[in-house]
Amino acid sequence: MTLRKSLTVILILFVSIAKAQTTSDEILFTIDNEPVYTSEFIRVYNKNLDLVQDESQKDVDAYLNLFINYKLKLREAMALGLQDKASYKKEFENYKKQLAKNFVTDTKVTDALVEEAYERVANEVKASHILVRVAENASPEDTLVAYNNITKLRNRAISEGFEKVMKEVHNGQTIFGEKLGYFSGFKMVYPFENAAYKTNVGEISQPFRTRFGYHIVKIYDKRKSRGERTVAHIMVVDNPNDSITEKAKTRINEIYKKLNQGEDFESLARQFSEDKSTANKGGLLAPFSAGSLSSQEFEDTAFALKNVGDVSKPIKTQYGWHILKLYDIKPVQPFSDLKPEMEMKVKGDVRSQLIDDALVNKLKTQYKISNEQPDLGYFISILNDDYFKHSWKIPIDFKGDIPLVKIAKTQLTYQDFGDFLLKSQRNTKEKASFDQIVKKQYNTFLNNRLMQYQEDHLEEENKDYANIVSEYRDGLLLFDLMESTIWNASQTDTIAIQNYYNEHKDNYVWPERMHAVVASSSKESVLKQVAEFLEKGMDVEDIKKTININNEVNVIFTSGVMEAQDQALPSNFEIKMGISKIYKHNNSFVVVLVKEIYPPAFKSLDEAKGNVIGDYQTYKEKVWVGDLRNKYKISINQDALNHAKSLLKKQ
């Protein structure tokens, strides 16, 4: 769904904010006599002005051309009946439900929970806990036993010491005693988080329950969160195909020695880091916070660096060997920056139940539903023990047409609640009195119906929601059209792709390349010696043994097939057989031995397939849009277009 959503966002670039037009609005153009209005075009143009990458799209005439293409595609999708596809309807309904969650909520309660969450993300607690396991659906008797046990352990912990009791009682099965270290908001289940943040440093909490059982927690420390770190790194991975470079550990230690000899970190990263995405930036990584990396070793090392400019010793991770340099220390972002992320997380965990409860109360007031339950005696009287066996059935003489509760204009009857009881019996896990069961199920039934009613009528009650739904409706339709007409066809049309490749071979060419050995050193005099040794045909390993003496790394070699633009080479390097002159590169010096030159050559279809398919799709779409322009009659109102241009110039 993620890819589909992202592509759909691109496709709705031209979707208007509102569909309704005023009677005085000018018609900008028509497609088979179906009008498109000037106001819609102006809104769309302004809405997307900052999003377009191509400056030509900011030209009104060029943008109009793109807008007409969009409208043609939408017209074709409707003509093909894509709006009637079961898959389209299903995905659209799923999206509506997902979107509705952002509108069907109680904002006051949500805002309070978001602020609480931010405070907890901005502060960390250090804690240990003792847990007495008990099932979430345990009987009242077993629940009481677990509660009594945790209460006794708390009393012991107060008198004997928490750590002592924690170690003694931990068995890894029914009782757990664990050191948790530091954590912040959203790292623990919400009831546990609540207890931890509400307990003072040095104190032991009262017993509390989570879905795992009963806990007590001791708080050792509270501190501000460590925020973000920005680091650069030099990475070396094992490369079994490299016959010259030694093992990664040896190579990273050579680089580390060069750092200690005073060489520039960024220069070494550009020359030797095998993280291709960061090497040309001197190894610089994007900022990250605690817990956001997949490597704990890397993260711990980054946060252990205290001062900007500090460099770590070589460390090993699952990705290879690294040396880190600290660039920036950034505290937790302000609330205004983190609020959207916090809101998403709040709505995604058990806190959402608090929001739902507040929403239900709000809807009861909105739709004038009494907090007092109606007389449910009839339902209590028709239940029997079959309900606990999940085999209960509604009686034959059931009085289903009796009114039960009314939500706005929708009347719910005994039949509606009876059907709910019938379906919900399969979720009953423990025995209770029929009175308790019916009252609990009625609350769930009413809550569900209240939220469902609001969701079903949301387009009528909320204009913003209605507008977004309208945008997505058209965007999803266009996605299906493009997928069936262009994208899928381009993947499977092997003969057409082969023909396109044959006709455009000149676009898919390997540049001139070479097999080379690159020697790098901070000292020009060293490279003069290296060049002499290479000229004599000396083996690279022997050169290293001769040059890298007294525990100093004076030269590092890189070898392989490379282009003239390789990171190890200077920008003005010319590929020629033999040994090059000495170049200055990245605050260092390099000399290159070119062993073999590979002239420019056509890429095979397999080698260029990704680019070929992309280019073929662009070509196929251009032809297709041309066919649509011939299929549908387009008539542009030049006066309206001139008026639109004058309005846009005034903005």
Side-chain angles (χ1 to χ4, degrees):
M1 182 61 185
T2 302
L3 175 60
R4 177 170 282 248
K5 277 188 176 179
S6 63
L7 288 171
T8 301
V9 168
I10 296 170
L11 289 170
I12 66 175
L13 185 67
F14 300 112
V15 179
S16 62
I17 299 173
K19 298 290 185 180
Q21 306 292 335
T22 63
T23 55
S24 60
D25 197 0
E26 290 180 300
I27 296 175
L28 181 61
F29 63 88
T30 60
I31 298 178
D32 276 5
N33 296 319
E34 183 176 321
V36 178
Y37 294 90
T38 302
S39 60
E40 179 182 355
F41 175 73
I42 290 175
R43 281 197 303 272
V44 175
Y45 180 89
N46 287 329
K47 179 182 177 183
N48 299 299
L49 190 60
D50 295 331
L51 300 178
V52 296
Q53 300 294 321
D54 188 345
E55 283 295 320
S56 67
Q57 294 178 14
K58 295 182 180 181
D59 176 76
V60 176
D61 289 316
Y63 200 84
L64 176 63
N65 189 54
L66 293 172
F67 189 61
I68 290 173
N69 289 347
Y70 157 76
K71 287 293 186 178
L72 283 168
K73 292 174 186 176
L74 189 59
R75 181 66 181 271
E76 179 71 359
M78 300 293 288
L80 293 173
L82 297 184
Q83 71 277 13
D84 297 323
K85 283 176 54 182
S87 58
Y88 168 82
K89 289 181 178 179
K90 181 179 179 181
E91 182 155 355
F92 179 57
E93 288 303 317
N94 287 341
Y95 173 79
K96 280 181 65 178
K97 286 184 176 294
Q98 191 66 32
L99 177 64
K101 291 178 182 179
N102 297 322
F103 290 85
V104 181
T105 186
D106 187 287
T107 54
K108 288 184 179 180
V109 174
T110 303
D111 289 346
L113 289 170
V114 168
E115 290 177 10
E116 175 191 79
Y118 174 78
E119 286 301 313
R120 293 177 179 180
V121 166
N123 295 277
E124 300 171 342
V125 296
K126 184 180 182 182
S128 296
H129 81 127
I130 298 173
L131 163 67
V132 175
R133 292 294 301 268
V134 62
E136 200 170 1
N137 61 342
S139 66
E141 293 78 14
D142 290 342
T143 301
L144 181 60
V145 170
Y147 177 79
N148 288 335
N149 284 343
I150 198 70
T151 301
K152 291 176 183 177
L153 291 175
R154 182 177 187 273
N155 292 335
R156 279 189 60 192
I158 291 173
S159 60
E160 301 175 31
F162 193 92
E163 293 76 13
K164 176 177 179 294
V165 175
M166 182 177 68
K167 291 178 182 178
E168 289 180 0
V169 301
H170 174 81
N171 60 29
Q173 295 178 343
T174 58
I175 301 178
F176 293 78
E178 300 170 304
K179 293 181 178 180
L180 302 172
Y182 284 97
F183 60 87
S184 61
F186 297 105
K187 301 301 182 184
M188 302 292 177
V189 293
Y190 186 58
F192 194 101
E193 177 191 302
N194 258 341
Y197 276 90
K198 291 179 179 179
T199 301
N200 294 325
V201 173
E203 294 183 357
I204 300 171
S205 72
Q206 292 293 330
F208 61 94
R209 189 170 185 176
T210 71
R211 64 176 182 267
F212 307 107
Y214 279 103
H215 309 250
I216 53 173
V217 59
K218 181 173 181 180
I219 303 301
Y220 295 93
D221 187 27
K222 294 184 179 181
R223 69 182 186 191
K224 293 289 183 183
S225 294
R226 295 182 295 178
E228 286 185 345
R229 293 291 184 274
T230 302
V231 303
H233 78 139
I234 299 171
M235 183 176 80
V236 176
V237 296
D238 290 315
N239 184 2
N241 297 320
D242 192 338
S243 60
I244 293 179
T245 304
E246 295 180 8
K247 291 182 179 179
K249 184 177 180 180
T250 302
R251 188 170 177 84
I252 200 73
N253 283 326
E254 289 178 342
I255 296 170
Y256 187 62
K257 285 180 181 178
K258 290 178 79 66
L259 282 168
N260 288 335
Q261 290 164 201
E263 296 199 28
D264 182 64
F265 185 98
E266 291 75 15
S267 175
L268 292 172
R270 289 187 177 94
Q271 294 177 75
F272 304 117
S273 179
E274 295 177 22
D275 178 359
K276 301 299 183 184
S277 64
T278 64
N280 63 347
K281 298 180 288 187
L284 190 65
L285 293 163
F288 57 87
S289 58
S292 60
L293 298 182
S294 56
S295 171
Q296 190 63 47
E297 297 90 348
F298 194 101
E299 182 180 298
D300 289 344
T301 302
F303 278 98
L305 297 172
K306 300 298 182 184
N307 302 305
V308 172
D310 285 354
V311 175
S312 75
K313 293 181 179 179
I315 63 163
K316 181 76 165 66
T317 73
Q318 67 267 41
Y319 304 106
W321 287 89
H322 312 258
I323 303 171
L324 281 63
K325 179 179 179 180
L326 181 61
Y327 272 78
D328 189 27
I329 299 173
K330 185 178 179 182
V332 175
Q333 298 176 55
F335 175 68
S336 57
D337 293 345
L338 280 183
K339 185 178 179 181
E341 179 185 343
M342 293 296 100
E343 186 169 340
M344 186 180 298
K345 288 185 175 181
V346 162
K347 290 179 178 179
D349 72 0
V350 295
R351 293 168 173 85
S352 61
Q353 185 59 52
L354 300 175
I355 300 172
D356 289 346
D357 292 344
L359 174 62
V360 165
N361 292 330
K362 177 182 175 181
L363 294 178
K364 282 182 177 179
T365 301
Q366 181 178 336
Y367 299 128
K368 299 178 181 178
I369 306 293
S370 173
N371 284 322
E372 293 185 12
Q373 291 184 339
D375 183 5
L376 301 172
Y378 177 70
F379 296 97
I380 296 170
S381 70
I382 62 175
L383 288 189
N384 55 50
D385 286 341
D386 289 343
Y387 195 83
F388 304 116
K389 302 173 185 176
H390 308 161
S391 59
W392 175 78
K393 295 181 180 179
I394 296 176
I396 296 175
D397 60 349
F398 181 68
K399 302 175 181 179
D401 57 351
I402 299 176
L404 180 63
V405 63
K406 193 172 185 179
I407 302 176
K409 297 178 181 180
T410 300
Q411 178 66 61
L412 300 176
T413 65
Y414 274 31
Q415 188 67 53
D416 295 313
F417 184 46
D419 291 340
F420 181 82
L421 282 174
L422 186 66
K423 292 179 181 178
S424 61
Q425 65 178 316
R426 60 176 174 262
N427 299 321
T428 303
K429 298 179 181 179
E430 59 187 51
K431 280 196 172 184
S433 70
F434 295 138
D435 180 72
Q436 289 176 317
I437 289 172
V438 170
K439 289 180 178 178
K440 181 179 179 181
Q441 295 289 23
Y442 176 78
N443 282 336
T444 304
F445 165 76
L446 179 60
N447 294 353
N448 290 348
R449 286 304 189 107
L450 281 167
M451 288 190 282
Q452 187 62 52
Y453 182 88
Q454 188 189 36
E455 183 178 323
D456 291 342
H457 295 79
L458 201 54
E459 283 189 75
E460 304 165 19
E461 298 178 0
N462 192 303
K463 185 177 291 186
D464 290 338
Y465 172 79
N467 289 336
I468 296 173
V469 166
S470 178
E471 291 183 5
Y472 192 83
R473 181 185 289 112
D474 289 350
L476 185 59
L477 197 61
L478 289 186
F479 181 97
D480 283 350
L481 177 69
M482 295 296 292
E483 186 175 52
S484 60
T485 306
I486 302 296
W487 301 330
N488 288 348
S490 298
Q491 294 286 346
T492 58
D493 197 352
T494 54
I495 295 176
I497 290 171
Q498 180 70 58
N499 291 337
Y500 184 87
Y501 164 76
N502 292 337
E503 294 169 6
H504 300 84
K505 252 186 174 182
D506 290 344
N507 295 334
Y508 312 107
V509 178
W510 288 114
E512 185 180 42
R513 294 171 295 162
M514 62 182 173
H515 182 243
V517 176
V518 182
S520 174
S521 176
S522 61
K523 301 173 183 177
E524 187 175 9
S525 59
V526 168
L527 283 190
K528 288 181 179 179
Q529 285 184 285
V530 171
E532 291 175 4
F533 291 145
L534 289 172
E535 187 73 48
K536 294 176 181 178
M538 185 182 291
D539 182 76
V540 168
E541 291 302 318
D542 291 336
I543 296 176
K544 289 173 68 175
K545 290 176 183 177
T546 304
I547 299 295
N548 295 338
I549 57 176
N550 299 325
N551 204 31
E552 288 189 359
V553 177
N554 292 308
V555 64
I556 289 181
F557 289 93
T558 302
S559 72
V561 176
M562 55 186 76
E563 300 173 13
Q565 293 76 33
D566 193 279
Q567 70 181 72
L569 301 171
S571 59
N572 59 339
F573 181 78
E574 295 182 14
I575 297 180
K576 292 181 181 179
M577 287 292 293
I579 298 172
S580 73
K581 67 178 183 179
I582 295 175
Y583 290 87
K584 191 165 186 178
H585 179 49
N586 285 331
N587 297 324
S588 188
F589 298 92
V590 296
V591 67
V592 184
L593 169 60
V594 179
K595 293 183 172 182
E596 190 171 357
I597 297 175
Y598 306 106
F602 291 115
K603 293 182 180 179
S604 68
L605 178 56
D606 284 340
E607 290 172 328
K609 197 163 191 178
N611 290 333
V612 174
I613 289 176
D615 293 344
Y616 175 69
Q617 287 177 345
T618 301
Y619 162 77
K620 187 177 177 70
E621 182 178 354
K622 184 177 180 180
V623 172
W624 174 60
V625 170
D627 292 340
L628 292 180
R629 284 179 171 264
N630 292 327
K631 179 178 180 180
Y632 298 104
K633 182 181 178 182
I634 303 166
S635 178
I636 299 175
N637 182 344
Q638 192 61 47
D639 290 339
L641 178 58
N642 292 336
H643 186 211
K645 289 179 178 179
S646 66
L647 291 173
L648 289 170
K649 283 182 180 179
K650 292 177 181 178
Q651 295 178 355

